[in-house]
Structure formats: C-alpha cells, structure tokens
Amino acid sequence: MPAENVPSTEVEEPDELAVRLCRALVCAAVDPALSGVLLFDLEPQLLDPVARLFARILTGDPHSPGPPVMLSAASRDEDLWTRPVLQREDGGISFRMEPGPLIETDGRSGPPSLVVVPDLTRLSVAGMRAAVQLLGADVTVVEYGGLSHRARPRARWLAACRSADAGRPTGHLLDRFALRLPTCGLRLPTADHLLGMLPPSWLDIARDAQEALVPTAAVSDEALDRVHELLGPESNMRRELSLARLARALATLDGEGTATSEHCAAAARLMGLAVAEGAGRAEPTGGASGSASRSPHPSNRPSEGMGERRHTGQDIPGAAETGQPLLETEPAEGVGAGRGGVQTVLATPYPEDEAEALRDFAPLRSPWQRTAGSASLRGVVIGTRRATDLSDIAHVRTVREAAVHQRIRRTEQFTVSPVDLHSHVRASSPEHMLVLLLDHTCRGGDWDWQDTLTPFLEWAYTRRAAVHIIEVGSAETGNELRAESFAARSVLDPRILPALYRPVGRASPLADGVEQAVQALRRSFRQHGNSLTEAWLVVVTDGRGNVPLRASRTGRLRSPVGTEGVEDTLKAAAGVSAMDRTRLRVAVIDAGREPYGSLPFSLAEALGGVVLEGPSARVRTRGGGGAGER
Amino acid sequence: MSRAAEGVHILPYSRVVGQDDLKLALELNYVSPPIGGVLMAGARGTAKSTLVRAFALMVHEELPVTLPINATDDRVVGGWELDALMRGEPRPQPGLLEEAAEKGLLYIDEVNLLDDHLVNIILDVVSTGVLSVQREGLATAKHLSFGLVGTMNPEEGGLRPQLLDRFGLMVAASQLDTDARHRTIRTVLDFEGELTRKESVWLEQAARDDNARRDQLEQARDRVSGTPIPEDVVRLCARAAERVAAVGQRGEIVATLAARALAALEGADEVVPGHLLRVLPMAFRHRRPETAHGGTFEWGPEDESRVEDLFEPA
C-alpha cells in the first residue's frame, strides 16, 4: 500500500527517521566497506534531496557537489566503465579514453563518486553486474575498450527499492548493500537543518575519510557476540560484518576507542532492525557509556541520543527475544491507525528474506546470444565493423583505423575521417523463445510425450529459439514442493533430453511452475524488448496441481490442500493472459487423465491458449473452439 | 606489467579463517601447475575472491591476472595502446591471456557470469594452447599455457561443461560454524583497524606467516617431480574414476597429479592411497555426468560410498 495512506505521526517522528538516515549516510561516507546504502520504500521525489544530502556529506560542499552518476534500465557497460573525452587543443581536437564515471575517482584522494540507482529492480544487467563488481570489493579490475584499470573502488552507492519488490533482485546483488534503511514515511527537512543536528565532528571525520584512512575504533568480542545475537543464527557473514562495521563507524564518530554491544544495538536500530534489550545485560562501563560527557546527545546510548524511538520491537512483548524481525515483510500499511495501534512499518532491513516474489532466473547473466537474432544496441559488444551511421561508435577501433592512414594523409594533426569510423557489433538477442512447462506427474503409462512435443522442439531448433525448461513433479528434484527450471541457449542443450524423462514424483507444484513460466516470459520480453518477436509457452499437464503456491514459496505444506493448488495455478496463469499476445502463443497439452479431465481446458482458458491432444490421437473438441482448440 | 594497485589491501592469506579445502586446492595447484587450475563454488560471502587474491599476493607478491566478467575482447586477446596510436606510434597492448601465460594463472571472478564470446575465446586458447589473433591489423600466433582459477556462486547459474572440465580441481566453499564466523569477523575487523596504524605488529606477524607458508610451498614444488607415484595408486585412481563414471580422462590425470602434490606438501616419500582419497572429490565432483549437465556440485555420502571400499585396507 502506498506510504501516503499511512498517517506519518503513527509511523515515526519524521525528524527521527531523517536523522537516522543522515547518520547512516555519514557512516557510509566514513567507512568504504559500507559504501552501499539501500533505502526501502523511499518516496521517488525524495531521492534527489537524499542524493544531494549524501553528496554534501561526502564533499563537504554545501553548494554544488556535482551531479551523481545515475544508473537505470538503460545503463550500458561502455557508459559506465569508460569515457571518451574530446578536447579542443591548439592544433584541433584531441581524443582519449578515460576511466568512466563508476571508477573515475578510484586511486585518487578527494570526494568519491556518488552512484544513484532510483529503482534497483529495474537496473540493467550491466548496472547490476557493475554493482556486484564494485560494492564492498577489495579491488576492482576493469579491462574494457583499451582501458586497463585496477584500484580499490571508492564510489558510494545510493539505491532505492520497494520492500514489496525486494524478492526480485538476486540475493547476490542485494547482499552487496551493507547499509539498509526502511524509509517509509520519511519527511526530509532541509539539509542544513538535518546536518545541524549532527555533532560537527561527524562531518569533519566524514570529510577527512575521503582523503585518507581514519583511525577506527576497535570492536570488542562482546560486541561481535551481540551482532550475532541481533541478526540471528541464519544470518550470513556479510550482514554480520556490515553490522559490526556500522557499530564501529558509530563508535569512531563518537570518538570512542572501542565499539561495544551498545554500539551494535545502536547500529541495529539505525538500520531499523528490531533490538531486544536483554534484561540481565551488563551495560558497558566504558565505551558508549563513558562517552556521555563528550556526547552532545541527551542520552548516553550512541544511537538513541538522536531521539531514537522505535515502537517496533520494544512495544511488542516477547517479539524481539532473538532480535528477529517482528513482522512479516510487507509494504507499510495503515493498519491500527489509532494511538497504541500495532506498528506496521517495515520491521527489518532484510525484507528479501521473507519476500514471496519470484526471483529472476540468472539475472546477472547477459542475455543468451543468438546467431539468428537481430542486431541490438543493448547487447554485449562482441566485435566491430565499418560504421554506417554515427551511433554506437567503437572508439578504439576507429582510432586504430585512423592511425594506419596518418602517414598517407600527411596532415599535421591526427585526423579521423569518415572512412575510419567503426561501430560495435553486439550480441544479438533471441528472436524466438520456447518456454516448456513439463508436469511429470501426468506422464503415466506408455505415453512418450516427446512425440507430442516434437513440433515445438523442431520449431525451436529451426528458429534458433532460446529455451526455458520448467519441471514439475519430478522424483529427482531437491524440493518436491517447488518447480525447477533452467534456461538453455537452444534445444540442443544436453540438459533438455534428460529433463523429458525424469521419474515421476509425488507432488505437483503446478502453480509454482506456471508462475516461473510467467516470470521467464516477462523477463524475456522486458530484457529483449521488441527483438523478441515470437514466444511459445507450452504446458504439458493434467491440470491437477496439488501444491498451493504458498507451500512452494515457504517450503511448508499445511494440510488439507483441497483445491488450493488448482486455484493457485489458475490465478498464476492469469499473469500470462496479460502479456503481449501478438507475440506470445500458448498451448496446453492435455494428458487426458480422468477424472477432472476439464482441468487442462480451464488452465488453457486462464492462460489464453489452445488445448492440444496428448496421449491419444483422438481429437477432443469442447466448447466453441475448432479441432483441438478451445 | 605490474598488477599492484594503489590503496588495495587484501587480508593476508595466513589470516583467512577456515576454508581449508579452498586453500588446499590453491596450494596443490601451485605446487603442481599441470593440474590446470581451480574452480571455487560457494555461496556469497564465503571469502572465495579474498582467498584467491591473498594467495596470489603471498606467492607472487602481486594481484593475480584477473579477467573481469565484462572485459572486451581487445583486452582479452590484445590490441593497440590507444594513446600511443594517437601519437602515431603503433604499440601493441598485450592481452590478459598473454599476461596470464607469463604468470601461469588467469583468475576469473564470477566465472559463471562470463559472456559467451569470452568463454569461446578462452576455450579455444586453453584447448589448443595457441592464441591466434588476426584482427585490427594484428596478425600473431603464440603458444600460451596457463591455469584457470575461477570463483562462482552457483545461485547465479552454472558453467558450460567444456569450461567446467578445464578447471583441474573444483572445491566448494563451506559454511562456517559460529565460532569460525566469530573468528572471521574478528580477523577482518582487526585487519581493517591495523591498516590505519603507521606500524602494525599484527600485519608484520601475518607477513612472516605468509612467507613461511610460501617457503613450504616452494619446497614442495621442488620436491613434487621427484615424488614417486606407485603403480597401484595409479590403478586405484582409474578404478575410482570408473566408479564415479567420470566424464573424460582428465579427472584421473588431475587426481594423480593432485595426490602427488599433496604428498610433496606433506613431505611424504611417495604417494599413498590416503593422498588420493583426500583429493578425489576435488578432481571428480565436476566431472560426474550429473554435474557436467547442470546438477549439484555436492560430494555427499553417496559419492563417498561408491569409492570407499577401494580404499579400505585389504
């Protein structure tokens, strides 16, 4: 539900959240290992002021810190890693290739670049891969278009994402963002006002940290235990390390010599993680408590000095005993609006753990390249050719070509003429795609479904189609409550034939399979745009899904199931009917099993496709459709 | 070409906590380069990349030759130096494969995300041993030989079987227990803290430990060619390969080489079945039919049971 429906006073005092955000940004500025900041449910109009606030913290310049690097769905490798520079010189125009915006400040002192991602779920493959390569890395190696670059990455990243979408990007990418902050209901005062609430020394340290490593506080063993306790036993190492680093940054900013468990609790609160105050927990004698006299805050607890008042966690008895998230992750909703109502803000900075959304398949891979596909300006560069227009010029090749002719031209300056121009050759996208959903539980008796599938496989072969196989109800699966899938470059992939003949299992998570098919198609249409001219979704099933979608997602089956599996399948199928039907065609191959022989027809109707006869040659006609169709 | 990079600090190899299998695979590959490289698979945040870089810094005192996932082909196979061209000087710029041949290793981070056209180039070179460049005015053919070291997170997709087979050994990063996690975080934070000091006893001690380990590896490297492999161990290896239905013959060759490297590392007089048993999962886990076609990399009790009777004392 949109944040505007939530009365802001019920969520959190606006300045508290804003100050917490501000503190988080200072910590990200101080410690390069905290370079990725991910904000959940940030109102789009607040992205620019938050980015400017971050830039101001990094540069110390209140006026014009310079524009950030914006990454979006259109970001391409050559825009990110290299930058061709044309310069007017005495004798004409010179040209050289320099490190691109993501790496231009690496290996230098001074303020680092600020990279802003308005919507993490819409980031291009090149952008996502850049984030994975740069965020939290010890070293970045770039070998791109004649540029060879090795340095410690310095850029700071500010990304926004809806918590409801947190399950969509790969964990590989999300994990790189060390600092998380739910920002639903954020009200941002002016930067001057906000920065004025911080101790002046914080901004000085943040600025100094851009010039050289600043001495950091030590971290006590007790603090590390506290980190582990706060994040729970299932947490991964990166999260623990990030929380410990954040605690250390807070201690460093407060001028403490050692980060204690109090700093860890403060760090957890800063990120919006529920914190349980252990009843018998001994307060540290030094560290944070000892800083009370030096701290400008009213409280001697590092983070609460800024007026931290979290309803979440402290107000719900027993809910935070292990420091686990208190609520299931949902977008903020205006439930319990009255005073004393249950707090419903996002209670964890890791909403992806509980997200039900289906993850993209191999989202960090470049799209499969096809030889039969059309040229695209977005594909991976795989070579160069003579340019026919000025778009997508390959600079290195162009200059090399020009260099060959310099002596013949006998000009005083290096001259590039039109015949030298070369453009990139890019890996083309698939024009055709076959998504095959195989329900193994419907393949009984002597039915060899390869015969039925042959026309589709032949079509995929002759059209050089990319293939996505989704399997349901196999006895060889690792988790019988979930469908399994893989993407192949063509039908010749050696994994496809074994997939056609798996032993039959017990469960049929058809709904999950249909949803994965929807996901694969949606991703392909989004990624390949108009170059994907035709896609087939072929579902071989008897329609009897016996695993509800929730069971597939959670891995827990609650009986009785009833018709829930079938209903969920039809519900998931509705996603296909909403797609571009001029390019997508759907067929359901009916296994012809009784009773419930009408289920494949219901599924075909929900998918908006035709029904084809499976095991027998008998042509079934139902409703008003023609032979074999409905 | 130096691969030192300013401001880059990698946790010393001797201070990396746990991941003994990963370390052993890297060490065996160093002791016996014909093994042909190491593939490390594991969940995110298991220190795979750190370990490779730390190892390279320990033994070569520089970062490994690294092929990033979005490298362009001119940087992989070589091209021209752009600035020199602009001055009218045709100066070839060596590619990463040529650099890797000088150092013996090419490191590919996130190898399963590597673009297809780069995989094709690498496969051509490692299988033929020849880098032939006929493009952009370059016409060269060089004999090159190097091992591949790759890291990957299997969540992001698999590897083509042909490329998978080119990695001599494959290891899976393990999840650490609570105590090891605590020590890991402790070590990383201590390391970062020490970097801000002008003088650090901690870093000096780590450097000494690294040097000591490097000396041990050098000694093993000197010993390895003289470490005999008894015929019965070779025969045992062939039978083990048969039991796990290993695809191709590279697996048993690599397993024998790795067993000999382990024997040299341990200072043994000759290779014994125990050495072979220790390296068997590394050499065969990615050469089983199910793995080669996109299955799991796990080497579980079922795999062990297939070969355990071969190694039981008669």
Side-chain angles (χ1 to χ4, degrees):
Chain A
M1 189 174 288
E4 55 266 26
N5 292 344
V6 184
S8 58
T9 52
E10 291 301 324
V11 176
E12 196 168 12
E13 290 296 326
D15 276 357
E16 293 174 8
L17 184 53
V19 172
R20 248 173 59 209
L21 170 65
C22 191
R23 291 162 64 89
L25 296 179
V26 174
C27 291
V30 168
D31 189 342
L34 299 173
S35 58
V37 181
L38 180 55
L39 305 180
F40 288 107
D41 301 318
L42 182 70
E43 294 289 337
Q45 69 272 18
L46 292 180
L47 184 67
D48 182 52
V50 172
R52 277 189 282 158
L53 176 67
F54 199 2
R56 183 166 163 183
I57 291 168
L58 289 168
T59 60
D61 182 355
H63 302 296
S64 178
V69 181
M70 301 295 284
L71 295 194
S72 65
S75 300
R76 304 179 306 172
D77 277 324
E78 50 271 42
D79 305 328
L80 304 177
W81 301 111
T82 53
R83 174 181 283 150
V85 178
L86 294 171
Q87 258 185 341
R88 179 183 288 279
E89 288 186 347
D90 294 342
I93 292 176
S94 78
F95 165 86
R96 67 176 183 278
M97 198 68 92
E98 289 190 346
L102 291 185
I103 51 174
E104 63 188 348
T105 55
D106 294 356
R108 301 182 191 169
S109 60
S113 310
L114 175 61
V115 181
V116 176
V117 185
D119 186 348
L120 200 60
T121 57
R122 292 184 189 279
L123 189 55
S124 66
V125 176
M128 287 193 287
R129 286 158 63 116
V132 169
Q133 282 175 269
L134 291 173
L135 279 168
D138 293 322
V139 58
T140 296
V141 178
V142 180
E143 303 285 351
Y144 200 90
L147 179 77
S148 187
H149 169 96
R150 297 175 184 94
R152 182 183 179 87
R154 294 187 64 228
R156 300 302 198 273
W157 290 60
L158 179 71
C161 180
R162 288 178 62 229
S163 58
D165 294 335
R168 287 174 52 196
T170 168
H172 203 57
L173 171 66
L174 287 169
D175 228 34
R176 306 279 169 156
F177 287 90
L179 267 175
R180 318 289 199 84
L181 202 66
T183 54
C184 178
L186 174 69
R187 291 199 298 191
L188 206 60
T190 63
D192 286 333
H193 176 60
L194 204 47
L195 295 173
M197 296 180 75
L198 296 178
S201 62
W202 280 41
L203 297 177
D204 294 339
I205 294 173
R207 205 169 43 249
D208 293 346
Q210 311 315 319
E211 301 298 329
L213 288 172
V214 293
T216 57
V219 183
S220 67
D221 281 341
E222 171 212 24
L224 295 188
D225 290 337
R226 182 73 164 135
V227 164
H228 187 68
E229 182 190 347
L230 284 163
L231 289 171
E234 300 301 318
S235 172
N236 68 33
M237 187 88 78
R238 283 207 176 121
R239 287 182 187 174
E240 290 190 24
L241 207 43
S242 296
L243 192 59
R245 282 169 171 151
L246 183 57
R248 182 179 64 184
L250 288 172
T252 303
L253 287 165
D254 278 344
E256 305 285 354
T258 305
T260 63
S261 61
E262 279 299 298
H263 291 102
C264 296
R269 286 189 204 97
L270 194 64
M271 288 214 293
L273 195 69
V275 177
E277 298 301 335
R281 183 171 297 283
E283 291 296 319
T285 53
S289 299
S291 71
S293 57
R294 296 196 297 277
S295 169
H297 315 323
S299 160
N300 63 0
R301 287 216 305 234
S303 189
E304 292 175 346
M306 300 310 288
E308 295 291 322
R309 183 167 58 82
R310 291 282 300 177
H311 301 285
T312 314
Q314 286 92 326
D315 292 348
I316 303 176
E321 285 168 2
T322 62
Q324 289 297 304
L326 294 170
L327 299 170
E328 293 297 319
T329 53
E330 298 286 346
E333 290 182 331
V335 180
R339 280 198 169 276
V342 178
Q343 178 58 263
T344 57
V345 291
L346 187 66
T348 166
Y350 306 107
E352 69 267 28
D353 292 351
E354 300 292 328
E356 292 196 343
L358 203 60
R359 288 194 190 286
D360 287 344
F361 178 81
L364 295 174
R365 288 212 55 143
S366 296
W368 311 122
Q369 49 180 282
R370 309 295 318 139
T371 51
S374 59
S376 159
L377 285 180
R378 298 234 179 281
V380 177
V381 174
I382 56 171
T384 58
R385 65 180 160 214
R386 196 170 293 281
T388 52
D389 57 30
L390 289 175
S391 67
D392 206 20
I393 293 294
H395 298 94
V396 178
R397 175 70 201 268
T398 298
V399 172
R400 208 246 358 132
E401 199 68 27
V404 172
H405 302 109
Q406 291 309 298
R407 284 182 185 276
I408 303 168
R409 286 176 188 156
R410 296 181 183 279
T411 52
E412 287 184 12
Q413 289 85 34
F414 191 89
T415 310
V416 177
S417 78
V419 293
D420 301 329
L421 291 174
H422 277 68
S423 59
H424 288 124
V425 177
R426 291 173 180 276
S428 49
S429 305
E431 280 183 332
H432 303 276
M433 183 177 188
L434 171 65
V435 178
L436 196 53
L437 171 51
L438 303 169
D439 181 355
H440 292 286
T441 57
C442 77
R443 197 185 74 245
D446 57 353
W447 180 35
D448 184 352
W449 62 11
Q450 195 179 350
D451 295 339
T452 317
L453 291 173
T454 296
F456 296 103
L457 297 174
E458 283 178 353
W459 171 84
Y461 176 70
T462 53
R463 300 302 177 95
R464 303 288 187 270
V467 182
H468 198 98
I469 303 283
I470 299 156
E471 295 179 69
V472 165
S474 151
E476 290 179 348
T477 178
N479 181 353
E480 61 181 355
L481 297 181
R482 296 216 59 189
E484 287 191 335
S485 67
F486 62 89
R489 293 171 184 80
S490 73
V491 283
L492 300 181
D493 191 296
R495 292 171 295 175
I496 292 180
L497 194 59
L500 294 177
Y501 294 103
R502 304 239 196 256
V504 177
R506 301 178 303 166
S508 177
L510 189 59
D512 189 39
V514 171
E515 192 167 83
Q516 289 197 26
V518 172
Q519 189 80 15
L521 286 164
R522 191 173 287 152
R523 176 168 182 265
S524 296
F525 278 119
R526 192 183 70 212
Q527 200 170 57
H528 304 307
N530 290 332
S531 68
L532 185 61
T533 55
E534 187 179 15
W536 267 97
L537 167 62
V538 179
V539 184
V540 198
T541 184
D542 55 10
R544 294 191 288 188
N546 61 7
V547 180
L549 212 43
R550 175 165 277 278
S552 298
R553 287 166 174 167
T554 60
R556 293 185 297 275
L557 189 61
R558 288 176 305 186
S559 57
V561 171
T563 58
E564 210 180 332
V566 175
E567 287 163 3
D568 281 357
T569 303
L570 299 178
K571 221 178 285 176
V576 170
S577 60
M579 288 185 189
D580 181 354
R581 302 319 298 261
T582 59
R583 292 187 286 163
L584 172 64
R585 304 168 76 182
V586 180
V588 176
I589 296 178
D590 178 12
R593 295 180 66 184
E594 300 293 343
Y596 312 119
S598 65
L599 287 179
F601 289 85
S602 305
L603 179 60
E605 192 168 17
L607 289 167
V610 299
V611 177
L612 302 175
E613 189 63 27
S616 79
R618 179 172 56 94
V619 177
R620 295 167 68 161
T621 53
R622 298 194 182 192
E629 293 191 6
R630 186 180 187 184
Chain B
M1 189 181 291
S2 168
R3 268 167 299 284
E6 200 176 339
V8 174
H9 305 285
I10 311 287
L11 185 70
Y13 180 77
S14 58
R15 292 298 179 267
V16 177
V17 177
Q19 304 300 0
D20 293 339
D21 272 2
L22 268 57
K23 287 180 180 173
L24 180 62
L26 284 173
E27 291 178 0
L28 295 178
N29 187 58
Y30 181 73
V31 170
S32 180
I35 285 174
V38 180
L39 175 60
M40 300 178 175
R44 48 191 189 266
T46 44
K48 303 180 295 293
S49 306
T50 301
L51 202 54
V52 177
R53 293 183 180 123
F55 186 80
L57 282 173
M58 178 180 75
V59 296
H60 298 305
E61 296 180 337
E62 61 182 357
L63 291 167
V65 181
T66 303
L67 175 65
I69 50 176
N70 54 1
T72 48
D73 47 8
D74 67 308
R75 288 300 307 123
V76 177
V77 301
W80 299 98
E81 279 190 22
L82 192 65
D83 289 345
L85 272 183
M86 295 290 291
R87 294 192 302 270
E89 299 169 25
R91 191 183 300 164
Q93 185 182 31
L96 292 170
L97 299 182
E98 214 173 321
E99 281 188 55
E102 279 177 30
K103 294 294 167 190
L105 267 186
L106 178 68
Y107 170 49
I108 311 173
D109 198 9
E110 315 281 5
V111 61
N112 51 336
L113 301 181
L114 203 61
D115 287 327
D116 276 356
H117 68 292
L118 294 184
V119 172
N120 292 337
I121 292 172
I122 292 166
L123 280 175
D124 279 351
V125 175
V126 294
S127 58
T128 62
V130 176
L131 170 65
S132 174
V133 185
Q134 306 291 337
R135 62 198 291 275
E136 295 196 342
L138 287 168
T140 60
K142 293 174 184 162
H143 285 279
L144 298 181
S145 167
F146 53 86
L148 291 172
V149 173
T151 50
M152 64 178 275
N153 177 358
E155 287 174 26
E156 299 301 328
L159 272 188
R160 278 160 63 180
Q162 301 94 321
L163 186 58
L164 201 57
D165 188 48
R166 290 289 162 185
F167 289 94
L169 302 175
M170 180 177 183
V171 276
S174 53
Q175 289 295 338
L176 303 178
D177 61 24
T178 304
D179 181 51
R181 286 164 77 118
H182 181 100
R183 281 188 289 124
T184 301
I185 296 172
R186 165 91 282 146
T187 306
V188 171
L189 294 175
D190 285 351
F191 171 63
E192 290 173 351
E194 296 295 330
L195 289 174
T196 64
R197 300 177 195 275
K198 284 184 180 160
E199 290 183 3
S200 164
V201 176
W202 192 96
L203 289 175
E204 286 168 9
Q205 184 57 47
R208 277 195 294 275
D209 291 346
D210 271 8
N211 289 340
R213 189 61 187 159
R214 183 178 58 201
D215 291 344
Q216 289 170 356
L217 293 175
E218 292 295 349
Q219 287 164 16
R221 202 168 155 136
D222 293 339
R223 267 197 307 268
V224 70
S225 58
T227 305
I229 311 172
E231 189 57 29
D232 59 335
V233 172
V234 178
R235 203 170 292 280
L236 191 61
C237 189
R239 291 177 66 193
E242 191 181 10
R243 290 281 183 91
V244 299
V247 178
Q249 270 69 57
R250 209 189 308 276
E252 44 265 47
I253 296 170
V254 167
T256 315
L257 291 171
R260 185 169 67 168
L262 180 59
L265 201 55
E266 291 181 350
D269 294 331
E270 64 173 16
V271 181
V272 296
H275 294 131
L276 184 62
L277 183 61
R278 177 80 177 85
V279 301
L280 220 51
M282 298 180 188
F284 287 119
R285 63 156 39 98
H286 56 307
R287 296 191 169 96
R288 295 168 299 177
E290 63 269 30
T291 309
H293 294 151
T296 174
F297 294 122
E298 291 304 314
W299 182 275
E302 194 185 328
D303 298 288
E304 282 173 13
S305 67
R306 284 200 272 182
V307 295
E308 65 184 354
D309 64 299
L310 297 176
F311 291 88
E312 282 169 0

